Amino acid sequence: MRAYLTAILMASTAIGGGVAAAWGQSSSPFSGLFSRGSEAEGPVALDIEVSGGDDGLAAQIRRSSLVASALAEDRTTGQDVLAAARADYARILGLLYDEGYYDSTVNILLDGVEAAQVAPLDAPQVVQRVVVAVQPGRAFRFSRAAMAPVAPETDIPAGYALNEVAGTGVIRRAAVAGVEGWRSQGHAKADLADQQIVADHDTARVDSRIALDPGPRVTFGRMSVSGNQRLNDRRLRKIAGFPEGQQFDPEDLDAVRKRLRRSGVFSAVTLEEAETLGPGDTLDVDLTVVEQAPRRIGAGFEVSNTDGIMISSYWMHRNLLRGGERLRIDGRVKDIGSETSERDDELTIRIDRPATITADTTGYVEARAARMREEDYDEDTASLALGFSHIFSDRLTGDISAQYQFSRVFDANGQTDFKVLALPMEVIWDQRDEPTDAKRGYYLSGELTPFKGFEETGSGARALAEGRAFRSFGKDDRFTLAGRARLGSVFGSDIDRTPRNYLFYSGGGGTVRGHPFQALGVETISGPDGDPIKTGGMSVANATAELRFQVRERIGLVAFADYGRVWTDSGFEGEGGDHAGAGVGVRYDTPVGPLRFDVAGPVSGDTGSGVQLYLGLGQAF
């Protein structure tokens, strides 16, 4: 594949127009024309002028310009600017070729002097103004855009067609698509057989012909492994799921890479196809891995002015028993300093074993203990689960487990014990472009938890569905509309016989900002004195809308509105209440996601009063 890419590049370079001046001379007739005084005060001015007034092309040139990058990084010495300017000739010319301009002229002037005529040793000490003047000329178009033979289902770029703009970029993409089309049909050694690109400067037309060599249909041979030290070799191969003996498909190699990376054992995974085919047109593959430190520790936090501080941390071992088993211990303390409840404590211990049953199935055991001290009740909970998560594709995942849970609740009714055997199931369809800061796409999740109660605990099923959607618009997608809807209900069990953590609340940073955490529930159960007892509801609905605006590269603003309603009965029936909140926020991009600061207040409902402040990592959803 490298060979045909190089050939395309060489051919496209040969049909171009030119640069205003040659560079690389050992001396310069312009020596001494620059001021050699002290550093200039103020920034260096950069003007990009494109004849014909093509603002889009000017913006592309600015984005690709090394001079623009140097000035943005405050590298403004004469030597820095000259070096960047001399490199920009080829860079800008390549961009013009990509756009189909082969009669172009490029001038780069440093204080009025052509940069190409200045030798590197004659660099000025000071440059005050840089002018990039481009005359793109005519856009060449295809008089012929032919490629053969083409594999079935090959996705040839739409721009590679008669009368379309004949840029080198679309020619390269067409060649790559042609080869990849054959590779996806099992022809691993498909390559470019020949290519002819002829430009007629009189008519501004390009005749392009690409010949492909599919080569034989190939099956996977053996996979050799190097770099592995701690992980058992048999388990490594089980996790990788290398399809030995099956027809070659590049997507299978991508799947092997992803499985090994998901294991967390390796920091780098490289798969290299053998240069030549083996007996029977088999293709061997060399796997090279780099192990990372087996242990890891991390922490996080959130802050609310009414709910207090939440601190979480974890410790993880990535290869506990040399089979890729991952042990993770999570601890969380929340509501520290809360105005509405006492402190909550939670501890979770989980062991994941990749490649259980299939290469894409992970088995796990999870134990959890929690001490919750809410405003209207106290609860101590312990649970044990055995489950499996399966990755159907990059976008679709599923999870199922068998779980036993015991909880003891203290409220106005006194002590109540809940014992359930449950079968939680979850499916997630994630089509977001970026999980931590989505600009477009959608996210759908569905949960169903059938449960069997023992003694005084009821039996039934809990269902919860959530959808999120994102759409961006404006220059550089600076504006993003984001929405979230959440619906849940418990069926088959009475509210007083349903575990408290199965019931639904609303309020707080994850549902309705501007109201305290779990502020909205229902009042249905009478205590010993006939007083109503507040619990969660049997049904819930939440909706959130956000408008996100990227002010600068790292700084964004958000305006949002949240709504929530809780019902006493299943199926969104019975009595209940609702509330709403709204506010604004600031986002600051970090390498691990945007830092979030929101200020919100109640719009309706009687569960909130005053302003709520939220600080956390990542978008609200």
Side-chain angles (χ1 to χ4, degrees):
M1 292 180 66
R2 294 175 183 170
Y4 72 76
L5 284 175
T6 302
I8 286 288
L9 283 168
M10 292 174 64
S12 63
T13 302
I15 64 177
V19 179
W23 60 91
Q25 301 172 1
S26 60
S27 62
S28 170
F30 291 85
S31 301
L33 291 182
F34 291 100
S35 168
R36 296 187 177 272
S38 59
E39 290 290 336
E41 296 182 2
V44 178
L46 172 61
D47 296 328
I48 295 179
E49 303 170 355
V50 178
S51 63
D54 190 335
D55 293 337
L57 184 57
Q60 285 183 274
I61 292 172
R62 183 176 292 274
R63 285 194 295 269
S64 67
S65 170
L66 294 177
V67 172
S69 299
L71 299 184
E73 296 168 3
D74 201 29
R75 294 186 286 111
T76 59
T77 67
Q79 186 67 57
D80 287 334
V81 174
L82 176 62
R86 289 168 63 86
D88 263 351
Y89 285 107
R91 196 177 184 89
I92 294 172
L93 196 61
L95 186 152
L96 294 169
Y97 287 176
D98 277 350
E99 298 299 318
Y101 296 105
Y102 300 119
D103 276 335
S104 306
T105 301
V106 179
N107 295 92
I108 302 179
L109 306 177
L110 309 183
D111 291 336
V113 178
E114 189 71 50
Q117 297 293 342
V118 182
L121 296 180
D122 292 330
Q125 291 185 4
V126 175
V127 175
Q128 295 180 327
R129 187 180 182 214
V130 181
V131 177
V132 178
V134 176
Q135 298 179 33
R138 300 167 297 172
F140 282 50
R141 293 183 178 274
F142 286 113
S143 60
R144 174 163 45 186
M147 181 165 57
V150 178
E153 302 179 6
T154 299
D155 187 14
I156 300 175
Y160 190 70
L162 182 66
N163 293 325
E164 294 293 329
V165 174
T168 57
V170 73
I171 297 174
R172 281 195 302 269
R173 290 192 296 274
V176 170
V179 172
E180 290 301 323
W182 281 113
R183 282 172 56 82
S184 66
Q185 298 294 320
H187 297 260
K189 293 303 180 182
D191 207 342
L192 183 70
D194 188 24
Q195 52 101 14
Q196 296 180 18
I197 304 172
V198 179
D200 187 335
H201 286 255
D202 293 331
T203 61
R205 307 288 279 182
V206 170
D207 183 333
S208 172
R209 285 175 285 181
I210 299 173
L212 301 175
D213 177 13
R217 194 181 297 271
V218 172
T219 57
F220 281 111
R222 295 185 176 183
M223 181 179 73
S224 62
V225 180
S226 61
N228 178 48
Q229 297 177 1
R230 300 186 184 94
L231 183 62
N232 178 276
D233 184 73
R234 184 184 65 83
R235 287 290 298 151
L236 182 148
R237 295 179 181 276
K238 182 71 180 294
I239 293 170
F242 182 73
E244 183 175 339
Q246 298 182 19
Q247 179 178 301
F248 172 85
D249 189 335
E251 292 187 0
D252 288 340
L253 293 180
D254 290 338
V256 170
R257 292 188 189 95
K258 291 172 183 176
R259 291 171 187 140
L260 291 170
R261 287 169 180 160
R262 280 199 304 264
S263 72
V265 177
F266 307 111
S267 60
V269 177
T270 303
L271 284 169
E272 186 174 353
E273 301 171 19
E275 291 290 334
T276 58
L277 298 179
D281 291 331
T282 58
L283 178 69
D284 293 340
V285 174
D286 296 326
L287 168 65
T288 303
V289 295
V290 178
E291 295 183 343
Q292 60 181 344
R295 297 170 184 82
R296 184 176 181 180
I297 190 170
F301 75 97
E302 285 191 11
V303 179
S304 169
N305 64 319
T306 56
D307 300 334
I309 301 172
M310 186 276 287
I311 299 175
S312 62
S313 63
Y314 71 88
W315 179 87
M316 181 171 63
H317 195 300
R318 296 186 176 95
N319 190 19
L320 185 66
L321 304 175
R322 293 178 56 83
E325 300 85 0
R326 181 169 58 232
L327 169 64
R328 177 164 172 152
I329 302 175
D330 285 84
R332 187 172 73 163
V333 180
K334 60 187 293 287
D335 293 349
I336 302 173
S338 171
E339 298 178 0
T340 59
S341 64
E342 297 181 24
R343 192 189 76 196
D344 297 338
D345 304 308
E346 184 177 338
L347 178 67
T348 303
I349 301 175
R350 175 167 169 147
I351 299 179
D352 289 87
R353 183 180 185 269
T356 300
I357 303 178
T358 75
D360 293 310
T361 304
T362 297
Y364 64 86
V365 177
E366 181 179 271
R368 176 179 175 271
R371 174 184 177 274
M372 314 298 288
R373 297 296 179 261
E374 304 301 338
E375 182 178 4
D376 301 296
Y377 69 94
D378 295 341
E379 181 180 24
D380 296 327
T381 304
S383 65
L384 180 65
L386 171 64
F388 301 91
S389 59
H390 184 77
I391 297 176
F392 297 96
S393 69
D394 290 343
R395 302 294 186 178
L396 181 63
T397 60
D399 189 282
I400 186 171
S401 65
Q403 180 191 69
Y404 178 78
Q405 175 182 286
F406 172 83
S407 60
R408 176 164 291 172
V409 175
F410 302 90
D411 55 21
N413 268 334
Q415 175 182 314
T416 306
D417 290 345
F418 296 95
K419 303 174 183 178
V420 296
L421 181 63
L423 191 68
M425 295 173 279
E426 182 180 22
V427 175
I428 296 176
W429 178 248
D430 190 349
Q431 287 286 353
R432 295 173 295 178
D433 59 341
E434 175 56 53
T436 60
D437 190 12
K439 295 288 186 182
R440 53 180 51 83
Y442 59 88
Y443 171 98
L444 301 174
S445 70
E447 298 178 28
L448 180 64
T449 306
F451 60 92
K452 166 65 177 175
F454 300 96
E455 298 178 1
E456 298 301 318
T457 307
S459 300
R462 182 181 191 266
L464 180 64
E466 181 174 324
R468 309 173 191 177
F470 308 87
R471 183 171 183 178
S472 296
F473 57 95
K475 183 179 179 181
D476 298 327
D477 289 339
R478 297 182 70 182
F479 294 90
T480 300
L481 286 174
R484 175 178 62 180
R486 174 175 172 261
L487 296 172
S489 191
V490 178
F491 302 92
S493 177
D494 296 331
I495 191 169
D496 59 337
R497 300 180 62 201
T498 302
R500 291 293 184 266
N501 61 338
Y502 282 14
L503 300 178
F504 299 102
Y505 293 85
S506 183
T511 52
V512 179
R513 288 161 286 187
H515 294 262
F517 177 69
Q518 293 190 350
L520 180 63
V522 297
E523 294 181 347
T524 58
I525 307 171
S526 297
D529 300 327
D531 298 325
I533 298 175
K534 179 181 175 182
T535 69
M538 295 288 280
S539 300
V540 69
N542 289 109
T544 295
E546 287 194 352
L547 174 60
R548 302 170 183 172
F549 171 56
Q550 199 69 28
V551 180
R552 301 182 65 181
E553 182 179 359
R554 292 186 175 275
I555 300 175
L557 299 178
V558 176
F560 57 84
D562 302 338
Y563 173 81
R565 181 174 179 82
V566 178
W567 289 265
T568 56
D569 296 335
S570 303
F572 313 99
E573 296 180 351
E575 299 179 357
D578 61 1
H579 60 180
V584 295
V586 178
R587 305 290 184 266
Y588 181 80
D589 287 343
T590 71
V592 293
L595 184 65
R596 180 179 77 254
F597 176 70
D598 288 337
V599 180
V603 174
S604 65
D606 57 4
T607 58
S609 60
V611 173
Q612 310 286 313
L613 305 178
Y614 305 92
L615 179 65
L617 189 62
Q619 294 283 3
F621 61 92

